[in-house]
Amino acid sequence: VAAVIRAFARDGARDVVVVPVGFVCDHVEVLYDLDVEAKAVAESSGIGFHRAAAANDHPAFVAMLADVPAIRRAAREILDAAAGRPGHVFNLGHGIHKDTPVERVKALVDIVHELSAR
């Protein structure tokens, strides 16, 4: 990374954006190697340094990973845990994050209705 940053600086770039494509979350390697070492190289080369944010636990990223079969399995586990009780409320906790894809929530509601049908 350092060699590439120096090359961009030599070629006249004013800024560089580093994207840690091999990582979906921040961890020591990203935080130190890029945010400390690579940033220092950029600064000493006279070039601005920016690192793209990792997906981490952003609700839209997590929801994208959860396909409908995974939602069905999780709903089944929750409903099975409540089996034999006189009634249940499938509670979404404190609400839904604004970036949660609506189609995933709709799929969950439809699945709960289907699996709860008597």
Side-chain angles (χ1 to χ4, degrees):
V1 173
V4 173
I5 291 171
R6 288 185 190 102
F8 275 123
R10 279 192 306 272
D11 291 344
R14 292 180 290 170
D15 293 280
V16 63
V17 177
V18 178
V19 182
V21 295
F23 303 97
V24 295
C25 65
D26 294 323
H27 56 85
V28 175
E29 187 175 355
V30 170
L31 297 175
Y32 186 79
D33 291 356
L34 298 181
D35 293 357
V36 175
E37 289 185 338
K39 184 176 183 180
V41 170
E43 288 173 353
S44 69
S45 300
I47 189 171
F49 179 87
H50 311 277
R51 179 178 58 85
N56 292 315
D57 63 346
H58 190 284
F61 177 71
V62 173
M64 184 252 335
L65 294 176
D67 58 5
V68 174
I71 293 170
R72 177 176 293 281
R73 286 189 301 275
R76 169 56 72 195
E77 287 178 23
I78 292 166
L79 293 171
D80 285 349
R85 296 186 183 150
H88 67 267
V89 173
F90 199 98
N91 188 347
L92 295 176
H94 296 287
I96 301 168
H97 191 278
K98 67 182 179 69
D99 292 328
T100 302
V102 173
E103 66 276 3
R104 298 291 198 232
V105 178
K106 182 178 182 327
L108 173 61
V109 170
D110 291 345
I111 289 166
V112 169
H113 285 163
E114 174 194 331
L115 297 176
S116 299
R118 296 178 193 226

